[in-house]
Amino acid sequence: MLKKTPLNRIHRDLAARMVDFGGWDMPVQYTGVIDEHLATREAAGLFDVSHMGEVEVRGAGALAYIQHLTINDAARLEIGQVQYSAICYPHGGIVDDVTLYRFAADRFLFCVNASNADKDYAWMEQVLEEGDFPDVELRNLSDDYAQLALQGPAAETILARLTTHNLKDIRYYHFAEGQVAGVPTIISRTGYTGEDGFELYFAAEAAESVWTALMAAGSEEGIKPCGLGARDTLRLEMKFALYGHELSSEISPLEAGLGWITKFDKGDFIGRDALLKQKEKGVPRRLAGLVMTDRGIPRDGYPVFAGEEQVGTVTSGTMSPCLKVGIALALVRPECSGVGKELSIGIRNRQVACRVAKTPFIKNWRD
């Protein structure tokens, strides 16, 4: 049986198109992917992301444990700050990419991908049991939290109507604990769209009331409920990785363009030796952004060619609603990953021209 978020009834009342997403009954669209995508870029979109998982780490040894578990340097986190990171296997493949919240010297919260939540928690428990971290407590709080993502240029204006907290004090990748619509909430200035916005964590039983309050508060700005379809096209325009596509147990952070969060100088961590060897030897493939120069829409799994030779594979692809051209992310040979490189993608048994582009794809799309 599919899992349901606390907002399932509302999604169905709104006649959302529902799909099975990683074992969850989730809305893929309401009024249409392009409509919801552009609403988020131009005004505000509201996303139910309550399927995401949350794992709390507490105790005197929490930081040491997290340093061993993740590839980024959690010691750099200030209280009230969020960090993008990843968890790896010993061979360097990725267990999951995560966001890490620091509440105190000895209290942290991971937000993990929905389809990976059970796997991630089992891996975290295994690492804890096999290591020397006696003063650490793990708690899977995924069922306790609902999570909404309010994204878009009008997000701050809308949220300000429902909280007394000064939102301008919350910098990018920072958070505060306050109230939204009278509900105790973790207010995080983060997101997966490339727009300004907030991810809001609160008790699951308050989900419908907070959703309804946000939709009402944003009516003047044209807020729209948004599904997984727009969430995917928005993140793809920004070259944000998605687990199962750009990230997996067979893809390393260095291949996926996450060398910037792989901190070899922080000390030992799971996967460090394998990743260091890969760094010294050179990665066999790199993640590149591709823009179609002939007509065609690239999709996950399509082959990428240099001349007649296959040099890579598309990991994600779509028609960009903002650029109105096909865009893709692909793992390609390093020598084919330079900006401006002319390549092609196999679409319906023919090679369609593309080139390697600067990313994010939409950096100056409003100009």
Side-chain angles (χ1 to χ4, degrees):
M1 181 178 293
L2 294 179
K3 299 178 183 177
K4 297 178 181 179
T5 77
L7 290 165
N8 190 269
R9 184 187 64 81
I10 283 183
H11 300 321
R12 293 189 173 278
D13 286 349
L14 291 171
R17 178 184 164 198
M18 307 295 287
V19 297
D20 177 351
F21 181 76
W24 288 83
D25 188 36
M26 294 294 294
V28 69
Q29 65 180 44
Y30 301 84
T31 56
V33 173
I34 294 175
D35 185 51
E36 294 161 28
H37 180 113
L38 295 177
T40 304
R41 289 274 182 250
E42 297 167 358
L46 185 62
F47 301 77
D48 177 15
V49 287
S50 302
H51 59 313
M52 301 291 279
E54 293 85 16
V55 178
E56 185 181 66
V57 185
R58 284 180 180 259
L63 178 58
Y65 166 74
I66 290 169
Q67 289 287 70
H68 179 63
L69 179 72
T70 66
I71 66 175
N72 208 335
D73 187 358
R76 299 182 183 182
L77 271 177
E78 302 169 354
I79 294 170
Q81 189 175 9
V82 189
Q83 183 180 77
Y84 180 58
S85 191
I87 300 169
C88 282
Y89 293 108
H91 72 275
I94 300 171
V95 179
D96 203 2
D97 65 327
V98 299
T99 48
L100 177 64
Y101 292 72
R102 189 170 198 170
F103 287 82
D106 59 354
R107 181 187 167 212
F108 299 80
L109 184 73
F110 280 106
C111 179
V112 305
N113 284 300
S115 59
N116 291 337
D118 293 339
K119 177 194 72 174
D120 289 358
Y121 188 68
W123 178 253
M124 291 177 180
E125 286 189 309
Q126 180 180 331
V127 171
L128 182 59
E129 291 169 2
E130 294 178 351
D132 184 21
F133 307 104
D135 299 316
V136 174
E137 178 188 3
L138 283 181
R139 290 201 300 161
N140 189 344
L141 303 180
S142 301
D143 291 339
D144 297 344
Y145 281 108
Q147 187 187 153
L148 297 178
L150 175 64
Q151 302 284 295
E156 182 179 300
T157 298
I158 294 167
L159 188 58
R161 295 175 180 142
L162 299 175
T163 182
T164 58
H165 196 93
N166 186 351
L167 299 176
K168 294 190 183 302
D169 288 344
I170 306 176
R171 291 174 289 153
Y172 186 53
Y173 260 69
H174 286 72
F175 70 96
E177 294 180 88
Q179 290 198 344
V180 173
V183 175
T185 302
I186 300 167
I187 306 170
S188 176
R189 197 163 211 139
T190 47
Y192 196 45
T193 65
E195 298 297 330
D196 187 22
F198 301 87
E199 292 174 315
L200 309 172
Y201 300 75
F202 46 84
E205 56 267 23
E208 289 195 4
S209 64
V210 175
W211 171 282
T212 301
L214 285 166
M215 289 299 297
S219 60
E220 293 180 12
E221 282 71 26
I223 190 174
K224 290 196 174 182
C226 300
L228 295 173
R231 183 169 163 84
D232 190 54
T233 54
L234 288 158
R235 69 93 190 170
L236 184 47
E237 287 185 338
M238 290 301 298
K239 198 193 174 185
F240 289 158
L242 175 63
Y243 195 89
H245 293 257
E246 291 72 44
L247 310 172
S248 79
S249 62
E250 301 306 316
I251 301 171
S252 80
L254 304 185
E255 292 173 311
L258 298 183
W260 62 281
I261 64 168
T262 308
K263 307 299 185 183
F264 292 106
D265 60 352
K266 73 165 182 170
D268 194 28
F269 58 87
I270 298 171
R272 183 181 187 275
D273 290 345
L275 293 172
L276 194 55
K277 287 179 182 177
Q278 190 178 75
K279 181 182 180 182
E280 293 168 351
K281 184 179 179 180
V283 294
R285 53 190 178 172
R286 292 185 184 277
L287 189 67
L290 307 178
V291 171
M292 305 306 299
T293 51
D294 281 344
R295 293 185 60 168
I297 302 176
R299 299 296 185 192
D300 176 21
Y302 286 4
V304 180
F305 296 92
E308 297 300 316
E309 183 180 14
Q310 183 174 350
V311 295
T313 305
V314 171
T315 56
S316 297
T318 193
M319 174 65 73
S320 164
C322 290
L323 301 179
K324 298 179 174 57
V325 67
I327 60 173
L329 300 181
L331 284 167
V332 300
R333 292 180 190 172
E335 65 270 22
C336 297
S337 64
V339 172
K341 177 73 174 179
E342 299 291 337
L343 300 170
S344 63
I345 296 175
I347 302 177
R348 295 194 179 91
N349 298 316
R350 67 186 183 94
Q351 292 187 31
V352 182
C354 66
R355 61 176 171 78
V356 179
K358 289 183 179 180
T359 51
F361 295 103
I362 61 157
K363 189 171 183 179
N364 300 310
W365 77 277
R366 290 187 177 92
D367 296 342

